[in-house]
Amino acid sequence: MSSRKKVRVLLLKNKTVPIDKYELECRSKAFEPIFVPLIKHTHVIQDFRNVLNTIPNYLNTINYIIITSQRTVESLNEAIIPTLTSEQKAALLSKTVYTVGPATANFIRRSGFINVKGGEDAGNGSILADIIIDDLCTDIKACPPSELLFLVGEIRRDIIPKKLHSKGIKVREVVTYKTEELSDGFKRFIHAMKECDEDEVFSDWVVVFSPQGTKEITQYLGDSNRLPGCHLRVASIGPTTKKYLDDNDVTSDVVSPKPDPKSLLDAIELYQRHK
């Protein structure tokens, strides 16, 4: 019998620094977190600077910002805000920020933004768009005349802009970071998998957060000829990722009801108890 007692959770994501909430939640439930980075993030500040340079007093003309990714907040903190004047920084941090999920909401608050909405009540972009519409357009005549600033990654979905545009709300999308797939992502994954033990009682878990960088991994997960002794279960972070896995013949044993660590690990723990 193997001496390894903890169930390992392979998280297909970069570890957030200085604190990763998924790691903390895993350890609180006696799971062993293993991070498998598949992509790298690069800050992009030029688009933001271009807006400030071409539109006079831009930060004084908007009241609302949309942020749906912790990577955007990292780009703000590490690359964009340090280039602002004290007046520009104060103007930026005074804006109402709409965001998705409690983890990103907390990250935004720690960055100095005071008025953060959505968060815990917005599990995805579609729900967040509905919250924005309810806030700003209960009466269509009250819709804000100025646009909303949407800080995004180079690769993003258009659910939020489409919904807001349908209500006459203008949205300016500004790229704050880009992502690139790591060439050795699959090799990293297989390296982690080779530590599997045939005598392990419980299944190890693979958590898929996004389709990006997972092509070879999904082929592996859907293949019956996996490494011997690896009793894998698959968890997806939400319905969009689940659909991607479904389309690639990979069954999600667990779908996190919300895109946050507690929801994910509670769902995995519940599955474990009933197996």
Side-chain angles (χ1 to χ4, degrees):
M1 189 75 174
S2 169
S3 61
R4 178 162 63 87
K5 296 179 180 180
K6 286 187 178 180
V7 177
R8 301 188 322 156
V9 179
L10 276 68
L11 300 155
L12 304 186
K13 68 183 288 291
N14 297 65
K15 184 176 179 179
T16 302
V17 293
I19 298 172
D20 192 291
K21 295 294 184 67
Y22 286 92
E23 178 180 27
L24 296 179
E25 193 67 29
C26 279
R27 297 197 185 283
S28 75
K29 296 182 181 297
F31 294 143
E32 180 184 354
I34 306 292
F35 289 90
V36 183
L38 302 179
I39 57 179
K40 66 177 180 178
H41 304 277
T42 305
H43 301 320
V44 175
I45 66 171
Q46 194 55 50
D47 287 9
F48 193 90
R49 295 302 314 178
N50 286 344
V51 171
L52 296 187
N53 291 337
T54 57
I55 304 177
N57 299 314
Y58 180 72
L59 292 178
N60 293 322
T61 68
I62 60 168
N63 296 313
Y64 308 99
I65 300 174
I66 305 170
I67 297 175
T68 58
S69 166
Q70 292 190 38
R71 302 302 174 193
T72 287
V73 187
E74 290 173 357
S75 293
L76 281 174
N77 290 340
E78 298 170 15
I80 294 176
I81 289 178
T83 71
L84 302 179
T85 65
S86 58
E87 291 81 6
Q88 288 174 327
K89 179 180 177 180
L92 178 69
L93 296 178
S94 71
K95 308 306 176 187
T96 297
V97 180
Y98 287 96
T99 191
V100 171
T104 305
N106 290 333
F107 199 4
I108 291 170
R109 292 187 184 101
R110 291 199 301 271
S111 299
F113 289 92
I114 299 172
N115 192 9
V116 181
K117 295 188 174 184
E120 296 80 357
D121 299 319
N124 57 49
S126 181
I127 295 174
L128 181 63
D130 291 336
I131 291 173
I132 295 172
I133 291 167
D134 287 344
D135 274 3
L136 304 183
C137 293
T138 302
D139 177 355
I140 193 64
K141 295 180 181 178
C143 274
S146 63
E147 65 190 15
L148 276 68
L149 175 62
F150 189 7
L151 301 179
V152 298
E154 193 174 44
I155 299 173
R156 71 274 193 186
R157 303 177 70 197
D158 60 358
I159 291 175
I160 293 175
K162 277 188 174 180
K163 269 200 169 184
L164 297 184
H165 287 155
S166 72
K167 296 297 182 180
I169 302 176
K170 298 177 181 178
V171 178
R172 179 185 294 272
E173 295 182 67
V174 174
V175 174
T176 57
Y177 70 95
K178 63 180 180 179
T179 58
E180 299 175 60
E181 295 183 8
L182 295 174
S183 60
D184 62 347
F186 183 63
K187 186 183 296 183
R188 292 167 184 259
F189 174 76
I190 291 298
H191 178 74
M193 294 310 308
K194 284 182 178 178
E195 298 179 5
C196 285
D197 189 326
E198 291 185 9
D199 294 328
E200 184 59 57
V201 175
F202 296 107
S203 302
D204 282 341
W205 287 84
V206 176
V207 182
V208 185
F209 290 83
S210 163
Q212 192 171 16
T214 64
K215 182 178 179 180
E216 290 179 285
I217 293 174
T218 52
Q219 290 174 350
Y220 171 86
L221 294 175
D223 189 348
S224 59
N225 297 312
R226 299 174 181 171
L227 288 171
C230 290
H231 309 295
L232 292 176
R233 298 297 182 196
V234 178
S236 56
I237 200 64
T240 302
T241 304
K242 177 186 182 299
K243 183 180 185 307
Y244 164 75
L245 293 174
D246 288 344
D247 291 344
N248 286 274
D249 301 318
V250 178
T251 300
S252 296
D253 298 285
V254 160
V255 180
S256 181
K258 292 183 179 179
D260 64 74
K262 188 176 188 309
S263 297
L264 171 68
L265 273 300
D266 281 351
I268 289 177
E269 191 175 52
L270 181 64
Y271 182 99
Q272 292 280 147
R273 284 203 301 266
H274 289 83
K275 287 294 177 180

